[in-house]
Amino acid sequence: MYIPLSKQPRSEYDQALLWFSLLLLIFGLVMVYSSSIATAGASRQTGFQETYYLLRQSVFLAIALLAAALTFQVPMRVWQKAAPWLFLGGMILLVIVLIPGIGREVNGSRRWLSLGFANLQPSEFMKLIVVMYAADYTVRKAAFMDHFTKGFLPMLMVMLLIGGLLLREPDFGAFAVIIAIAMSILFLGGLNWRLFAGLIVLLIIGFLLLIWTSPYRMQRIVGFMDPWADPYGKGYQLSHALIAFGRGEWLGVGLGGSVEKLLYLPEAHTDFLLAVIAEELGFIGVAVVVLGFAWLLVRAFLIGRDAERQERHFSALAAQGIGIWLAVQSIINIGVNMGLLPTKGLTLPLLSFGGSGIVANCIALAVLLRIDHENRLLMTGRAV
């Protein structure tokens, strides 16, 4: 169909999405450096080098951008064909990471595979793999989305298997994000609303049972409910995060001026990076971060809508799934930092320190850019 010249895309890719993503990555690099100076300078493991985490994050970011550039070249039809095999590979990695002597254990959790120069966290890449697998599954089973045994049950069994492996690590945060991704894609793909509502009820019951039967999760809930009751124990991390938010007020104490990052707030450059942003840049800094992730979610859904209009159903669900992944993970991290949710080991996408996370996030954004690129090619009548 002919597209009027005034409605044809002026560029072959979404320049706003690209530049906004790069700005977020650069902002994250600056904040990782600011939040990690004291930790790096005081640790024998880092050689007392204050730039240790900055240099490592810069290397991770370079690898992530290279991976993203290569990913952008891969057509979405290839991703769709590869989705089941990627899922199988991801499951194998989740099994391998649990094997003693192979999986690396840190703070009681076995989530990493040592690569020598860095650690690989399979659960980070599993989030993107689940986006692809759930999108492909929903397209293949589109005619059975109203059917419990043919449409819903197989995906439920697969998610329970993934959940079992993740909870063995344990990585409750990644499990919650992956379940949210799969449920959302099934719902967007036409899952019967009664099945969806029933699944919500089962998940709530399941999460409550997981908390009730796990002493350390119960302790986190208790610490979350009243961190000031035990500010030097269960509530230590959250109480210092709240102090950071309180000190920041509207405009913050200035970049580099955080006190909480001076060995008071644990994981300041990873899970609690937002608390340092709040202290140094204030309410305005936090609002910019929140609005930034909201914009990414809206943009992902608009790209998915354009793909759906062209009857590219897999691409549409993949785009929306990526948006949901980044939004849900950022919501959980922000909620934890602000004391609205119990503490979880989830980083802030695109911003927090971490090699696996930043690489997986950049690859996901490259896929989103690829979907938009193919939308624009088809609008101008060119083959994908």
Side-chain angles (χ1 to χ4, degrees):
M1 185 178 70
Y2 174 72
I3 305 294
L5 187 60
S6 61
K7 295 184 179 181
Q8 290 184 5
R10 297 181 179 180
S11 173
E12 292 189 353
Y13 62 92
D14 190 335
Q15 295 187 30
L17 177 59
L18 174 63
W19 286 108
F20 183 78
S21 302
L22 290 174
L23 286 174
L24 270 182
L25 292 169
I26 293 170
F27 174 66
L29 186 63
V30 171
M31 294 311 304
V32 164
Y33 179 45
S34 177
S35 61
S36 66
I37 291 177
T39 302
S43 174
R44 185 182 299 275
Q45 184 179 359
T46 64
F48 306 108
Q49 297 178 8
E50 295 182 343
T51 59
Y52 177 82
Y53 291 107
L54 171 66
L55 295 175
R56 286 183 67 83
Q57 186 73 347
S58 299
V59 172
F60 294 150
L61 189 53
I63 294 172
L65 292 176
L66 176 61
L70 295 174
T71 299
F72 183 75
Q73 309 302 320
V74 181
M76 290 308 297
R77 64 176 181 275
V78 175
W79 282 106
Q80 186 170 7
K81 291 179 181 178
W85 301 105
L86 289 172
F87 184 79
L88 178 61
M91 292 290 290
I92 292 173
L93 287 176
L94 289 181
V95 172
I96 291 175
V97 81
L98 295 174
I99 300 175
I102 298 179
R104 186 167 183 265
E105 186 173 338
V106 178
N107 297 329
S109 297
R110 195 185 301 275
R111 304 177 185 176
W112 298 270
L113 295 173
S114 178
L115 302 179
F117 66 95
N119 295 319
L120 176 71
Q121 189 173 355
S123 60
E124 290 292 340
F125 295 96
M126 198 64 191
K127 296 167 188 173
L128 176 61
I129 291 172
V130 167
V131 168
M132 298 300 179
Y133 181 78
D136 175 58
Y137 177 88
T138 304
V139 170
R140 287 189 287 108
K141 299 285 187 176
F144 303 106
M145 282 295 104
D146 285 336
H147 202 287
F148 178 78
T149 56
K150 292 183 179 180
F152 173 69
L153 187 60
M155 177 59 80
L156 176 63
M157 299 305 295
V158 166
M159 289 300 107
L160 289 176
L161 179 59
I162 293 177
L165 293 172
L166 289 173
L167 292 176
R168 287 286 297 170
E169 294 184 5
D171 194 346
F172 189 79
F175 173 55
V177 172
I178 284 174
I179 289 296
I181 292 169
M183 284 178 51
S184 300
I185 290 178
L186 286 174
F187 180 73
L188 292 169
L191 179 68
N192 184 288
W193 71 269
R194 293 184 180 87
L195 293 177
F196 186 77
L199 179 60
I200 293 290
V201 173
L202 288 175
L203 284 174
I204 292 173
I205 295 173
F207 282 142
L208 291 176
L209 287 175
L210 285 173
I211 293 169
W212 184 262
T213 57
S214 176
Y216 91 92
R217 291 194 185 101
M218 182 61 73
Q219 289 180 358
R220 285 189 171 184
I221 294 295
V222 172
F224 154 72
M225 295 295 290
D226 187 8
W228 306 109
D230 188 11
Y232 297 104
K234 294 186 290 289
Y236 181 82
Q237 212 166 17
L238 178 54
S239 62
H240 280 278
L242 294 176
I243 290 171
F245 271 85
R247 290 193 75 244
E249 298 185 350
W250 287 97
L251 299 177
V253 298
L255 184 62
S258 169
V259 171
E260 286 301 319
K261 71 183 182 185
L262 303 179
L263 306 183
Y264 293 105
L265 178 62
E267 310 297 336
H269 57 299
T270 54
D271 299 355
F272 282 85
L273 182 68
L274 187 72
V276 178
I277 294 174
E279 187 176 3
E280 296 190 348
L281 304 179
F283 173 82
I284 299 301
V286 174
V288 168
V289 171
V290 172
L291 291 175
F293 282 110
W295 185 87
L296 279 177
L297 174 64
V298 172
R299 192 72 201 101
F301 267 73
L302 290 176
I303 291 173
R305 181 200 61 184
D306 291 342
E308 186 64 36
R309 287 175 175 174
Q310 297 172 353
E311 299 185 354
R312 301 171 59 236
H313 306 299
F314 170 78
S315 295
L317 291 173
Q320 293 163 349
I322 289 170
I324 290 165
W325 161 23
L326 297 177
V328 168
Q329 184 163 331
S330 62
I331 288 170
I332 293 175
N333 180 272
I334 292 168
V336 166
N337 275 255
M338 298 179 67
L340 301 176
L341 293 172
T343 303
K344 288 285 165 285
L346 279 176
T347 57
L348 192 58
L350 300 170
L351 299 179
S352 293
F353 175 82
S356 298
I358 207 73
V359 172
N361 294 161
C362 286
I363 290 175
L365 288 175
V367 171
L368 196 56
L369 283 166
R370 177 70 198 191
I371 295 170
D372 178 75
H373 173 64
E374 293 185 2
N375 289 344
R376 293 168 187 245
L377 290 180
L378 290 171
M379 284 181 66
T380 57
R382 286 178 286 177
V384 175

